[in-house]
Amino acid sequence: MTNNETLQFDTQHEDMIHDAQLDYYGKRLATCSSDGTIHLFEISDKQQKFLEALKEHTGPVWQVAWAHPKFGSVLASCSYDGTVIIWKETAGSTFTVIKKHAKHQASVNAIAWAPHELGPVLLCGSSDGKISLLTFTEEGVWDAQMIRSAHTTGVNSVSWAPVIAVGAFTQPGASQKASFVRQFASGGCDNYVKIWSYSEEKKTYEVTQTLEGHSDWVRDVAYAPNIGLPRTYLASCSQDKHVYIWTQDAPLGKSSTGQSGLVEWTRNQLTSTPFPDVVWRVSWSMSGNVLAVSCGDNKVTLWKENLKGEWERISEVNENGQRA
């Protein structure tokens, strides 16, 4: 299958599909739906093979997320039923439940695995206003840490920051041995994007900055992959039909913790005019230089920053998978 070809097939779901995620190797696809199920497919060349339907949730399943393969073939899912389920492939290529996280009191809307360097840690955001972190400890048990009142009216999205500190390889005397960045962003129904950093002293994540700009619910946030370049990119999209690119330059001074929370974020509007409809999702390419924007008009647009620092639309894909 070439880059310009689109593979279309029937997922066999009985209701709307909310998420579709390929695993690390791009060989397996997980889809989830309002029908309460997760469907797994094997993808090879121009063909797909249905593997299994996972039925454990009792409500719509909003998101699925594959863990890094160093932790095995592990898949996480979150649902309107208020639970997060972690599945693992067992003998016979079937997936079984290894953890059911039921400490939220409302719909769990977003999940994200931490960079593998930080270990098997799953970040969860819920309509109850709380964020939770599930960590598989060295003792072989799942530890759940709750962050209360993260967004008082509900959490819609979460995204981990790149684990390598911004500017790590461009500053004089920089060392690859600098400590990993432990930071994530969240978007909520309070119209805010919040940046959270880990406090070694308090052994928990704390808000270091609150980014204001959206005038309605923040639907998604996404950090761009970073290989140590001197600038961090964070995209956010909202019910207000706007997409913002937030940038943060590397601090001038050395940071023993690798954190860059003291440097202010700069907000740039992706387009001079609003999108035609609600913007639901934003997603970066693996190289971190192309942004995909999913809009309520059933179109996905691709954007890239030019040498002047302006964002240009480079491609558009409609609901039939055809490029404009």
Side-chain angles (χ1 to χ4, degrees):
M1 188 165 65
T2 67
N3 291 336
N4 292 323
E5 288 183 296
T6 303
L7 174 62
Q8 296 188 42
F9 60 91
D10 181 8
T11 61
Q12 302 175 39
H13 282 296
E14 297 173 0
D15 209 330
M16 183 183 294
I17 300 168
H18 296 292
D19 198 14
Q21 295 289 336
L22 286 166
D23 69 359
Y24 181 84
Y25 299 109
K27 299 293 186 183
R28 283 183 175 172
L29 176 72
T31 61
C32 61
S33 164
S34 279
D35 64 12
T37 68
I38 300 156
H39 288 185
L40 301 178
F41 300 87
E42 189 176 287
I43 307 293
S44 60
D45 200 22
K46 294 183 180 180
Q47 298 180 329
Q48 91 290 335
K49 176 186 175 185
F50 178 77
L51 297 176
E52 189 178 1
L54 307 180
K55 303 177 182 179
E56 190 70 28
H57 288 292
T58 57
V61 185
W62 303 129
Q63 281 190 13
V64 286
W66 293 95
H68 190 276
K70 72 182 287 185
F71 305 119
S73 189
V74 175
L75 179 72
S77 59
C78 64
S79 168
Y80 179 79
D81 65 14
T83 67
V84 173
I85 294 178
I86 299 177
W87 315 75
K88 187 168 186 177
E89 187 177 19
T90 56
S93 295
T94 59
F95 280 75
T96 56
V97 177
I98 59 170
K99 172 65 179 177
K100 190 169 185 177
H101 174 46
K103 292 192 175 182
H104 286 286
Q105 282 81 48
S107 171
V108 181
N109 303 316
I111 49 175
W113 289 100
H116 68 86
E117 294 91 342
L118 304 182
V121 181
L122 183 68
L123 183 63
C124 317
S126 169
S127 290
D128 64 8
K130 300 171 187 173
I131 288 174
S132 61
L133 292 108
L134 280 177
T135 304
F136 191 67
T137 65
E138 295 179 357
E139 290 74 32
V141 296
W142 288 94
D143 175 64
Q145 182 180 15
M146 305 295 292
I147 301 174
R148 304 182 188 280
S149 300
H151 294 267
T152 52
T153 47
V155 184
N156 293 324
S157 56
V158 290
S159 176
W160 286 93
V163 76
I164 299 173
V166 60
F169 303 141
T170 58
Q171 292 180 353
S175 169
Q176 293 189 31
K177 294 182 180 179
S179 58
F180 290 134
V181 172
R182 296 173 180 266
Q183 189 179 85
F184 64 84
S186 61
C189 299
D190 53 8
N191 309 347
Y192 295 143
V193 174
K194 293 185 178 182
I195 309 297
W196 304 77
S197 297
Y198 187 75
S199 167
E200 287 289 352
E201 181 184 345
K202 298 181 180 179
K203 302 298 181 186
T204 187
Y205 285 84
E206 297 181 321
V207 176
T208 54
Q209 283 176 305
T210 299
L211 309 182
E212 301 180 30
H214 287 294
S215 59
D216 208 335
W217 291 11
V218 178
R219 281 296 177 183
D220 199 16
V221 290
Y223 271 101
N226 190 313
I227 53 171
L229 296 176
R231 178 172 288 180
T232 299
Y233 288 83
L234 173 68
S236 64
C237 65
S238 166
Q239 200 90 10
D240 65 12
K241 305 179 183 178
H242 286 288
V243 174
Y244 290 129
I245 307 295
W246 308 84
T247 57
Q248 184 187 54
D249 292 326
L252 296 176
K254 288 185 178 180
S255 170
S256 60
T257 63
Q259 302 288 359
S260 53
L262 298 178
V263 180
E264 289 299 316
W265 289 82
T266 301
R267 187 186 79 193
N268 295 293
Q269 199 164 289
L270 187 68
T271 57
S272 57
T273 56
F275 278 79
D277 208 325
V278 174
V279 187
W280 291 99
R281 299 288 286 272
V282 282
S283 179
W284 294 93
S285 63
M286 292 291 287
S287 56
N289 64 342
V290 176
L291 178 69
V293 177
S294 176
C295 184
D297 63 358
N298 295 335
K299 292 178 181 177
V300 175
T301 50
L302 303 181
W303 302 79
K304 192 172 184 178
E305 188 178 22
N306 63 24
L307 295 176
K308 296 178 182 178
E310 301 163 342
W311 290 85
E312 298 176 330
R313 193 179 75 177
I314 58 173
S315 183
E316 180 181 292
V317 183
N318 65 21
E319 58 186 311
N320 297 317
Q322 297 170 331
R323 292 192 179 187

